[in-house]
Amino acid sequence: MRERHAYAVWTGAVLLTITALFHFTGYFEIPAARSDAGLPSFFDASLRPLWLFASLHWLLTAAICVLVTKAEPVIARSILLSCAAVVILDAMLLYWFIGPFIGEALLAAVALLMVIGAYRSPTGVKAQGV
């Protein structure tokens, strides 16, 4: 039977994966960099990779969270809290620069699920069955 904390982590990872895949679909809508004067501007050229990096970053974070559910509880807790901190920081920065939208709510929900998973994981002597 799966550990109690793993359900919250798996739910958060699935939600983060869906968010990343949905975000990735927008990559194809970004126009290619134009080269009006022979070379594309730095900002035109950087938008597509930055869009792609965000999606890959969320997919990697989701994978780390799933993999860490099998780690020692003390290690799992610290990694899950670190992943939650990164995801909530993403949400806060998006809110700061873009304003409120559904993507930030999804990221905040993922961070909350990771924190719940981290604090529901067993710790200490009790976790080792002593």
Side-chain angles (χ1 to χ4, degrees), residues 12-31:
V14 167
L15 189 59
L16 189 57
T17 300
I18 291 168
T19 302
L21 293 175
F22 182 73
H23 187 267
F24 181 70
T25 62
Y27 174 81
F28 300 105
E29 300 299 320
I30 299 171

Side-chain angles (χ1 to χ4, degrees), residues 19-21 23-25 50-60:
T19 302
L21 293 175
H23 187 267
F24 181 70
T25 62
L50 288 174
W51 196 274
L52 181 63
F53 292 159
S55 299
L56 294 175
H57 155 73
W58 293 328
L59 287 173
L60 180 63

Side-chain angles (χ1 to χ4, degrees), residues 3-12 65 69 76-77 80-81 83-85 108-123:
E3 297 284 335
R4 290 185 311 152
H5 73 284
Y7 291 116
V9 174
W10 272 89
T11 303
C65 290
T69 60
R77 178 176 283 181
L80 286 172
L81 290 175
C83 288
V110 167
L112 180 63
L113 287 165
M114 296 304 166
V115 169
I116 290 170
Y119 282 108
R120 289 185 72 187
S121 66
T123 58

Side-chain angles (χ1 to χ4, degrees), residues 45-130:
S46 64
L47 185 58
R48 293 187 91 185
L50 288 174
W51 196 274
L52 181 63
F53 292 159
S55 299
L56 294 175
H57 155 73
W58 293 328
L59 287 173
L60 180 63
T61 302
I64 289 169
C65 290
V66 167
L67 291 174
V68 81
T69 60
K70 298 294 182 188
E72 291 293 321
V74 173
I75 295 170
R77 178 176 283 181
S78 62
I79 293 173
L80 286 172
L81 290 175
S82 297
C83 288
V86 168
V87 173
I88 199 66
L89 182 62
D90 288 344
M92 290 168 49
L93 286 171
L94 286 170
Y95 182 81
W96 176 268
F97 287 108
I98 299 172
F101 73 102
I102 189 67
E104 293 147 11
L106 291 170
L107 292 174
V110 167
L112 180 63
L113 287 165
M114 296 304 166
V115 169
I116 290 170
Y119 282 108
R120 289 185 72 187
S121 66
T123 58
V125 177
K126 183 179 173 185
Q128 297 172 359
V130 176

